[in-house]
Amino acid sequence: QPLYDKYFHEDLLDDLRDKGDTGRLAFLVRPGEASAEARFCGVLVYKFWGPPLRAVSILRVAVPDRLRFLGYGRTLMKWIMQKATQKPRAQCAKVTLCAMPEAVAFYDRLGFAYVPDENIELPAETDDGVRRLPGAVWMEYKCGRSYKAPSRR
């Protein structure tokens, strides 16, 4: 909870309840460490959207300051990217997120690409348009191969 408070200024359980029943939480921990604080390496909050969006949205990612630049954030992201890729393409075709300016290069190295505002797909229940913090940009990672109709000869 202290990490969540520091970066997101919200209560973790309240935030998960606000995400609805499809919000998910993943923790990255190191086995064999003596204390829970020493074992904790990061947190990821995500949500799978079925058709028509066919996406997983990264809602929150955080790694404690003392463990930054050690690969834990990359490990969390690679895990969810792999999980999304394993879903049938009819259920999940991309991983989406809204990146703060200081994190854009990190996501770019993972294969995420910038998405212009006019190309952003939002769930039907989002009726108040695109909301994000100043300077944040939408990015996405495409999963799997693009569908190509068989050629007729």
Side-chain angles (χ1 to χ4, degrees):
Q1 183 62 51
L3 177 71
Y4 212 79
D5 289 339
K6 178 178 179 179
Y7 292 107
F8 308 122
H9 311 291
E10 297 183 42
D11 180 77
L12 173 61
L13 294 177
D14 288 344
D15 195 26
L16 277 176
R17 275 190 284 279
D18 290 345
K19 306 294 183 230
D21 58 352
T22 57
R24 300 286 183 252
L25 180 66
F27 292 105
L28 181 62
V29 295
R30 291 184 295 201
E33 296 290 335
S35 71
E37 185 177 328
R39 286 192 304 263
F40 178 74
C41 300
V43 63
L44 172 72
V45 180
Y46 62 97
K47 183 173 183 172
F48 274 103
W49 302 94
L53 291 181
R54 299 181 315 133
V56 61
S57 294
I58 306 303
L59 306 172
R60 307 268 196 245
V61 180
V63 172
D65 288 339
R66 73 188 193 302
L67 298 175
R68 293 230 170 145
F69 304 104
L70 297 176
Y72 295 115
R74 182 176 53 250
T75 299
L76 282 166
M77 290 303 299
K78 290 284 194 180
W79 175 80
I80 193 63
M81 291 161 69
Q82 180 180 21
K83 192 171 178 70
T85 302
Q86 291 171 347
K87 290 243 182 220
R89 188 148 169 88
Q91 291 179 13
C92 188
K94 61 189 171 184
V95 179
T96 65
L97 55 87
C98 191
M100 296 306 298
E102 60 273 12
V104 169
F106 168 75
Y107 293 116
D108 188 53
R109 286 190 302 273
L110 288 169
F112 283 78
Y114 168 76
V115 178
D117 285 352
E118 60 271 10
N119 294 347
I120 296 170
E121 295 180 71
L122 295 173
E125 68 249 23
T126 308
D127 56 2
D128 54 356
V130 177
R131 294 182 329 188
R132 61 174 166 239
L133 294 171
V137 298
W138 289 97
M139 300 182 82
E140 70 180 26
Y141 170 80
K142 301 271 187 188
C143 299
R145 297 183 307 269
S146 298
Y147 173 76
K148 291 185 180 180
S151 61
R152 300 179 111 169
R153 289 189 178 184

